[in-house]
Amino acid sequence: MENTKKILYSAVQPTNNLTIGNYLGAIKNWVNLQNEYDCFYAIANMHAITVRQNPAELRQKTLALLALYIACGVDPEKCTLYVQSHVPCHAELAWVLNTFTYVGEMERMTQFKDKSAKHADNINMGLMDYPVLMAADILLYQADVVPVGMDQRQHLEITRDIAQRFNNIYSPTFKVPEAVYQKVGAKINDLQDPVKKMSKSGENPNGAIFMTDDKDTIMRKFKRAVTDSDMQIKYDPENKPGVSNLLSIYSVFGNKTIAEAEKDFEGKGYGDFKLAVGETVANKLAPIQAEQAKLLADKAYLDEVLKNGAERAFKAARKTLSKVYKKIGFYQL
Ligand code: TRP
């Protein structure tokens, strides 16, 4: 049974604070997939340093992210949860794959171009090589599927190209992975600019609810959420983006349909409506935050999770790396 499960690989960078949009889009997804697949979930700190990081913060955010994922229901017994830099095979395979990747291909990557513009003072080789490291991540584990956001599409395509290129030159070595672009079950928009996606780096800090926001902050942000002037609480994203966004948030966090959500607010005013949405979100986040704090206070446990994760990951990764080294002619002891 165990070895009939397909292998799933995914990773997140331990950088920015996660919003409730990330929670619905990525974290919950990881939780849902862990029973169906043999999952490898990495905290991609090696990708993170392609833009300059504060070392103390990077360290802290690595543990905070681990604790958050566990608090949300990612089970370290069911899946392999680990930190990328703990498994040296990633850097090793990336080096080899570099020699199967063309400079022109990397220069054409949209994210590289965007990030080069954004960090013009630090266009380092790692920034350019980012997709090759990502290919190494995925190919090391012989992943069948890789769930990612649409922004990672090009990176998945180049991963497939590199895998096929290597397989064609030698013999089948890597599984060519399928990308699964996440269905946005509930699209959460910015509270201040409700036609835009809620983002961790949005212009107005009141536009996003972070997983770490306390109740007062959550209530304040919802109170200030942009609505409209027609005073009707109904779902109409075209004409009433603000109200519709609040209704979506209320419905997913309260496990209700949009129709049920509308019904809850029949005859009510926007003031009451915003309070109720805020309460619903705060009540959902409170137990997750409490669990995250509890986990963060138990560093020994988190270290144990990471140690086990790294060991399991290393075993799988090393197997692939050995095959690669053999095929390319590295003398092995
Ligand atoms: N680049 C991905 C992101 O920023 C994170 C990532 C690193 C990743 N390695 C990966 C995602 C491998 C999927 C598979 O979202």
Side-chain angles (χ1 to χ4, degrees), residues 89-151:
C89 310
H90 292 253
E92 294 177 77
L93 182 62
W95 178 255
V96 175
L97 297 183
N98 271 330
T99 67
F100 295 88
T101 309
Y102 299 104
V103 172
E105 290 177 307
M106 295 297 98
E107 282 172 337
R108 283 197 296 276
M109 293 281 128
T110 318
Q111 197 171 84
F112 172 63
K113 289 193 271 189
D114 290 350
K115 286 193 179 171
S116 298
K118 211 169 143 198
H119 306 277
D121 56 335
N122 183 20
I123 306 175
N124 62 73
M125 288 303 295
L127 195 63
M128 190 176 182
D129 207 27
Y130 183 110
V132 179
L133 179 59
M134 199 163 145
D137 294 346
I138 297 165
L139 300 179
L140 275 174
Y141 298 93
Q142 304 289 348
D144 294 280
V145 288
V146 184
V148 279
M150 270 319 254
D151 63 324

Side-chain angles (χ1 to χ4, degrees), residues 71-87:
C72 289
V74 174
D75 183 351
E77 302 285 325
K78 283 188 189 153
C79 46
T80 303
L81 196 52
Y82 73 102
V83 172
Q84 188 182 28
S85 68
H86 292 171
V87 180

Side-chain angles (χ1 to χ4, degrees), residues 4 24 40 62 64 70 93 101 129 131 143 154 159 173 180 192 214 228 236 279 282-283 319 331:
T4 60
L24 296 166
F40 289 87
T62 300
I70 299 174
L93 182 62
T101 309
D129 207 27
Q154 267 191 329
T159 298
T173 308
V180 178
Q192 292 296 319
D214 61 19
D228 52 47
D236 177 0
E279 292 269 350
N283 290 342
K319 212 167 133 191
Y331 181 75

Side-chain angles (χ1 to χ4, degrees), residues 31-312:
V31 176
N32 295 336
L33 292 163
Q34 67 186 352
N35 294 316
E36 203 181 323
Y37 294 93
D38 184 4
C39 295
F40 289 87
Y41 291 142
I43 297 179
N45 58 348
M46 292 166 69
H47 280 100
I49 62 163
T50 56
V51 301
R52 207 60 75 216
Q53 301 293 336
N54 173 306
E57 261 175 38
L58 180 60
R59 225 182 328 268
Q60 195 276 330
K61 283 181 169 174
T62 300
L63 273 194
L65 191 66
L66 173 73
L68 179 63
Y69 272 81
I70 299 174
C72 289
V74 174
D75 183 351
E77 302 285 325
K78 283 188 189 153
C79 46
T80 303
L81 196 52
Y82 73 102
V83 172
Q84 188 182 28
S85 68
H86 292 171
V87 180
C89 310
H90 292 253
E92 294 177 77
L93 182 62
W95 178 255
V96 175
L97 297 183
N98 271 330
T99 67
F100 295 88
T101 309
Y102 299 104
V103 172
E105 290 177 307
M106 295 297 98
E107 282 172 337
R108 283 197 296 276
M109 293 281 128
T110 318
Q111 197 171 84
F112 172 63
K113 289 193 271 189
D114 290 350
K115 286 193 179 171
S116 298
K118 211 169 143 198
H119 306 277
D121 56 335
N122 183 20
I123 306 175
N124 62 73
M125 288 303 295
L127 195 63
M128 190 176 182
D129 207 27
Y130 183 110
V132 179
L133 179 59
M134 199 163 145
D137 294 346
I138 297 165
L139 300 179
L140 275 174
Y141 298 93
Q142 304 289 348
D144 294 280
V145 288
V146 184
V148 279
M150 270 319 254
D151 63 324
Q152 299 298 315
R153 186 184 199 126
Q154 267 191 329
H155 295 162
L156 260 295
E157 279 164 11
I158 198 76
T159 298
R160 290 168 55 87
D161 289 347
I162 295 170
Q164 274 157 350
R165 199 172 290 164
F166 190 99
N167 288 348
N168 288 340
I169 296 174
Y170 302 95
S171 55
T173 308
F174 297 121
K175 174 70 118 293
V176 181
E178 297 293 333
V180 178
Y181 299 105
Q182 270 146 28
K183 285 185 242 89
V184 250
K187 210 169 119 250
I188 302 290
N189 284 345
D190 193 286
L191 300 184
Q192 292 296 319
D193 188 0
V195 293
K196 277 208 198 120
K197 198 175 129 186
M198 183 182 285
S199 130
K200 43 194 174 186
S201 47
E203 259 157 52
N204 190 328
N206 287 319
I209 304 287
F210 293 102
M211 292 302 284
T212 47
D213 283 349
D214 61 19
K215 183 159 187 180
D216 287 350
T217 309
I218 294 172
M219 296 308 288
R220 180 171 45 78
K221 287 179 179 173
F222 277 108
K223 262 185 219 161
R224 291 186 188 170
V226 168
T227 46
D228 52 47
S229 53
D230 95 353
M231 303 309 273
Q232 286 226 61
I233 302 174
K234 60 175 213 259
Y235 190 76
D236 177 0
E238 190 93 347
N239 301 305
K240 298 168 68 65
V243 168
S244 304
N245 187 39
L246 293 176
L247 277 169
S248 314
I249 295 173
Y250 178 80
S251 76
V252 286
F253 278 87
N255 289 320
K256 294 184 181 192
T257 65
I258 292 284
E260 286 167 342
E262 284 175 335
K263 198 139 199 199
D264 283 354
F265 299 107
E266 252 168 28
K268 298 242 169 80
Y270 282 177
D272 288 344
F273 172 47
K274 289 176 176 182
L275 280 182
V277 181
E279 292 269 350
T280 304
V281 172
N283 290 342
K284 185 89 181 192
L285 294 191
I288 293 175
Q289 293 169 343
E291 183 60 22
Q292 185 192 20
K294 207 176 107 197
L295 288 162
L296 279 171
D298 190 355
K299 202 168 152 292
Y301 168 74
L302 295 178
D303 282 355
E304 193 58 30
V305 165
L306 290 182
K307 233 175 97 193
N308 288 332
E311 261 169 41
R312 286 215 298 263

